[in-house]
């Protein structure tokens, strides 16, 4: 159990009806999930992989370890961006909407799965192996930062939009990447409306970049 006050403040400037720049500061509080805290036992063994005896007596390719001492995450997010809203851009009745923002989220006690080898030593086919474990643990400090963009042009009869997420996550105490962070991606959506908007068709294409900084 636990509790925390998580404040948030956003200030937006409205010099005109098209561009609205803003800055935001928000704090977040995330308690560990039941799975992160209590998962335990052997993972299903893969074909050809040596089976390991886990502390609870189960057998698997590696051993989940529970961690009832997990602490909640506390995030402090800073954001600066602009909202864009424009009607009648090229022809009467069309519209453009957009949002661009830079963000940095500093997280204390970040919860991340950790893989490690430890005792006891187990023997398979004449070879000795340390037992492989997988456990959710708190790392002291992590940082997730990046850039997000979302745009949509709507010409009534048809529409097209692009959204983009470019971000990275780091364990700042060791300067190594977080493999649980959302990958970088770009998504394009296009569609059309028919029969007085009773039929709407659309297609979507997404490209995702592999997260190799782990």
């Amino acid at each position: 159990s636990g509790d925390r006050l998580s404040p948030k403040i956003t200030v937006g400037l409205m010099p005109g009806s098209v561009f609205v720049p803003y800055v935001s500061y928000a704090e977040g509080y995330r308690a560990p999930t039941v799975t992160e805290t209590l998962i335990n036992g052997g993972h299903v063994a893969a074909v050809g992989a040596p089976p390991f005896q886990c502390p609870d007596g189960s057998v698997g390719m590696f051993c989940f370890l529970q961690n009832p001492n997990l602490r909640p995450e506390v995030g402090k997010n800073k954001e600066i961006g602009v909202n864009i809203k424009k009607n009648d851009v090229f022809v009467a009745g069309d519209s453009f909407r957009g949002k661009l923002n830079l963000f940095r989220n500093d997280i204390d006690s970040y919860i991340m799965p950790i893989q490690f080898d430890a005792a006891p030593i187990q023997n398979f086919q004449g070879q000795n192996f340390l037992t492989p474990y997988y456990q959710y643990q708190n790392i002291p400090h992590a940082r997730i930062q990046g850039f997000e963009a979302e745009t949509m042009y709507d010409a009534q009869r048809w529409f097209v939009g692009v959204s983009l997420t470019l971000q990275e996550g780091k364990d700042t105490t060791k300067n190594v990447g977080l493999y649980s962070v959302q990958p970088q991606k770009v998504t394009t959506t296009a569609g059309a409306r028919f029969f007085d908007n009773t039929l709407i068709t659309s297609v979507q294409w997404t490209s995702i970049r592999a997260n190799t900084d782990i």
Side-chain angles (χ1 to χ4, degrees):
S1 63
D3 61 271
R4 186 180 190 275
L5 178 67
S6 298
K8 178 179 180 179
I9 182 171
T10 300
V11 178
L13 304 177
M14 304 183 68
S17 60
V18 178
F19 297 96
V20 181
Y22 69 91
V23 294
S24 178
Y25 175 81
E27 296 186 2
Y29 177 81
R30 188 183 81 85
T33 66
V34 171
T35 296
E36 292 168 337
T37 308
L38 300 179
I39 189 170
N40 191 48
H43 185 281
V44 176
V47 176
F52 288 92
Q53 184 83 27
C54 297
D56 68 342
S58 60
V59 176
M61 188 169 60
F62 58 86
C63 303
F64 290 107
L65 282 183
Q66 59 188 356
N67 188 357
N69 296 316
L70 275 178
R71 300 182 303 277
E73 298 176 346
V74 175
K76 299 178 179 180
N77 188 57
K78 286 75 66 177
E79 186 175 327
I80 182 171
V82 59
N83 290 313
I84 306 170
K85 179 180 179 181
K86 175 67 174 175
N87 297 325
D88 303 327
V89 182
F90 300 111
V91 296
D94 69 352
S95 64
F96 178 82
R97 300 290 185 267
K99 181 177 182 179
L100 314 174
N101 74 81
L102 292 165
F103 66 92
R104 172 179 286 182
N105 194 9
D106 291 295
I107 308 166
D108 295 325
S109 299
Y110 185 77
I111 298 172
M112 189 171 75
I114 302 296
Q115 300 180 38
F116 61 94
D117 296 330
I121 295 176
Q122 304 194 38
N123 183 277
F124 301 102
Q125 298 180 352
Q127 298 186 55
N128 291 329
F129 298 89
L130 287 169
T131 304
Y133 294 99
Y134 186 99
Q135 183 185 50
Y136 287 92
Q137 299 179 5
N138 292 108
I139 62 175
H141 188 78
R143 173 173 291 162
I144 300 174
Q145 61 185 0
F147 171 76
E148 293 177 323
E150 185 176 354
T151 63
M152 179 63 70
Y153 174 74
D154 194 327
Q156 294 188 325
R157 294 293 302 273
W158 58 273
F159 54 91
V160 62
V162 177
S163 62
L164 174 71
T165 300
L166 302 175
Q167 67 179 7
E168 65 172 8
K170 288 282 188 180
D171 174 354
T172 57
T173 58
K174 299 180 180 179
N175 195 33
V176 296
L178 306 175
Y179 61 81
S180 56
V181 73
Q182 180 179 339
Q184 301 185 22
K185 66 178 181 179
V186 57
T187 300
T188 301
T189 303
R193 301 181 179 92
F194 304 94
F195 309 120
D196 295 327
N197 295 339
T198 58
L199 175 63
I200 301 175
T201 63
S202 68
V203 293
Q204 189 175 82
W205 170 80
T206 299
S207 177
I208 301 175
R209 181 180 180 182
N211 180 17
T212 58
D213 182 21
I214 55 176

